[in-house]
Amino acid sequence: MLDRRKFIKNTGLFLGYSMLPFSPLYATSDQKPLGVCLVALGSYSTGVLAPALQLTKHCKLTGIVTGSPHKIPIWQKKYGIKDSNVYSYNNMDQIANNADIDVIYIVLPTGLHAQYAIKAAETGKHVWCEKPMAKTAVECQSIIDACAKNKVKLSIGYRMQHEPNTQTVIGFATSKPYGQIKTVRAEIGYNVSNPDRTWRLNSELGGGTMYDLGVYALNAARYTTGEEPVSVIAKQMTTRPEIFTETDETTHFTLEFPSGAVAHGKTSVGKSMHELYVDCENGWYTLAPFSMYSGVTGKTSDDKLLNTYVENQQARQMDDDALAIINNTSVLVPGIEGMKDIKIVEAIYQAAKSGKKIKLK
């Protein structure tokens, strides 16, 4: 729903391209970088992933899949992509025979993720799929099953779980340095005055603010508590019904967890907000902003700063995922993680529509 070009500009992604050396948190490998093929050349591939792949150590851009022939010469000139590594949606099954490509990265609209992630898995190449994983939990499961059947790794593009300050907060869920977590507040939104009438306004293609942005807040509530919610209530609203005819402009949701912790989530393209705040028995901690491309910063109630800088979040994410393939280890964000969010997203829409609390299994 949010125009990614505006998102990239607003979050200052390109400020990070004057790079410092990569973090020592990275593992090392002597194996040659894995070849990555991007499926769909929209604004996220063009403005974020392709530039990030110029910064990675363990993977590199070697192929593209596109339905827009006019983009092909531009990408070939900029990134040196060979004719034999250019595919359409109709012939991407032929990637199976291409030794230059090890990973297929699905960057299509959410409603198309399952169809093309399954096609990718059937080539025998490893699959990276952008978040949100798919439109429904059933589709998520179909992707997981296809990757398992073809014995390839599947990773979901949750860049925040690779980010060091976020990893610190994830660790707090177990170590509980400020005591038991009582409440979590996770809010993400941007005041978009004129939303482009793209797929993000199309329900069939998986548009909607809860899918596009709200999944960040939802995922944050889960990794912050380290628990899975047992119930949800929600409401959705719009101040521009002439634009948001099929999808939500603003969504509020409240999750209850087994420990008694409660998370209040909010997402909108009608209001700017960007904070994760965790209140505990003996203190608090916050990340604000908690998912900006240009950096994540925060602090704690005892004046500890959470401000470790990572040079490029997408490069770190893709290098981590590449190393999991190279070293045959578990990926940081597997398909089951993506599916858990989508099950809850579906329940949020159900709760908003019914006005009732929905129990989660």
Side-chain angles (χ1 to χ4, degrees):
M1 197 174 291
L2 178 64
D3 187 320
R4 285 194 186 273
R5 293 182 180 86
K6 294 176 183 176
F7 183 84
I8 294 165
K9 181 179 179 181
N10 291 343
T11 53
L13 173 71
F14 295 105
L15 296 177
Y17 285 169
S18 55
M19 302 290 289
L20 297 172
F22 265 64
S23 165
L25 291 174
Y26 279 103
T28 60
S29 173
D30 295 329
Q31 181 170 321
K32 70 174 183 177
L34 301 180
V36 177
C37 178
L38 296 177
V39 179
L41 308 182
S43 57
Y44 193 61
S45 284
T46 301
V48 183
L49 293 178
L53 280 162
Q54 309 315 299
L55 306 171
T56 49
K57 291 184 176 181
H58 306 294
C59 52
K60 64 179 181 179
L61 176 61
T62 56
I64 54 174
V65 175
T66 182
S68 303
H70 69 278
K71 295 182 180 181
I72 295 172
I74 299 171
W75 278 69
Q76 287 189 305
K77 181 178 180 180
K78 188 169 186 177
Y79 297 113
I81 298 170
K82 298 187 295 187
D83 289 343
S84 57
N85 292 355
V86 176
Y87 297 88
S88 70
Y89 297 112
N90 293 327
N91 70 358
M92 65 176 284
D93 60 304
Q94 295 176 17
I95 296 175
N97 304 314
N98 192 329
D100 289 342
I101 295 171
D102 303 289
V103 177
I104 299 177
Y105 197 152
I106 307 300
V107 204
L108 285 154
T110 304
L112 299 175
H113 282 185
Q115 178 183 351
Y116 288 95
I118 292 169
K119 290 183 72 170
E122 290 174 346
T123 68
K125 306 297 182 177
H126 300 287
V127 180
W128 297 346
C129 182
E130 249 318 296
K131 69 86 200 153
M133 184 176 175
K135 188 177 175 184
T136 69
V138 170
E139 290 179 343
C140 292
Q141 187 64 59
S142 70
I143 297 172
I144 293 170
D145 291 345
C147 290
K149 178 182 177 181
N150 290 282
K151 297 180 173 57
V152 298
K153 288 188 182 293
L154 168 64
S155 183
I156 311 303
Y158 282 92
R159 59 189 167 84
M160 298 322 306
Q161 295 200 31
H162 300 260
E163 193 276 330
N165 302 296
T166 305
Q167 289 176 334
T168 296
V169 167
I170 291 171
F172 285 171
T174 302
S175 62
K176 293 184 170 53
Y178 303 96
Q180 191 70 27
I181 294 171
K182 298 192 297 182
T183 60
V184 175
R185 177 165 48 83
E187 300 178 344
I188 181 169
Y190 299 93
N191 186 4
V192 183
S193 57
N194 294 299
D196 286 352
R197 294 186 179 277
T198 64
W199 66 267
R200 290 180 179 82
L201 296 176
N202 184 318
S203 178
E204 186 67 25
L205 288 177
T209 305
M210 189 62 219
Y211 278 105
D212 193 30
L213 291 176
V215 73
Y216 282 113
L218 169 57
N219 196 250
R222 290 179 51 242
Y223 63 61
T224 299
T225 60
E227 298 183 90
E228 297 303 328
V230 294
S231 68
V232 60
I233 57 175
K235 61 179 179 179
Q236 295 178 320
M237 62 209 73
T238 179
T239 59
R240 295 171 284 181
E242 73 283 0
I243 296 175
F244 297 93
T245 58
E246 300 180 26
T247 58
D248 52 304
E249 178 185 16
T250 300
T251 295
H252 297 254
F253 60 90
T254 298
L255 302 170
E256 294 178 329
F257 293 90
S259 65
V262 175
H264 302 285
K266 183 178 180 181
T267 185
S268 179
V269 288
K271 178 182 178 181
S272 295
M273 50 189 170
H274 212 294
E275 183 177 16
L276 173 64
Y277 182 89
V278 186
D279 187 41
C280 306
E281 290 178 320
N282 305 316
W284 53 265
Y285 45 95
T286 183
L287 294 176
F290 78 94
S291 69
M292 285 285 193
Y293 291 178
S294 56
V296 171
T297 59
K299 60 183 179 181
T300 69
S301 54
D302 53 352
D303 295 325
K304 294 177 182 177
L305 294 179
L306 303 172
N307 62 349
T308 301
Y309 177 68
V310 59
E311 297 84 351
N312 181 284
Q313 294 169 6
Q314 287 80 7
R316 185 186 182 103
Q317 168 202 320
M318 291 187 285
D319 263 342
D320 283 349
D321 288 340
L323 282 168
I325 294 169
I326 292 168
N327 297 325
N328 194 25
T329 56
S330 298
V331 299
L332 188 58
V333 189
I336 188 66
E337 177 74 7
M339 186 169 72
K340 287 177 180 178
D341 274 348
I342 298 305
K343 283 182 177 179
I344 301 169
V345 169
E346 290 186 282
I348 286 171
Y349 278 101
Q350 182 184 355
K353 184 177 182 179
S354 68
K356 299 178 180 179
K357 178 184 290 189
I358 302 298
K359 296 290 185 180
L360 299 167
K361 296 180 180 179

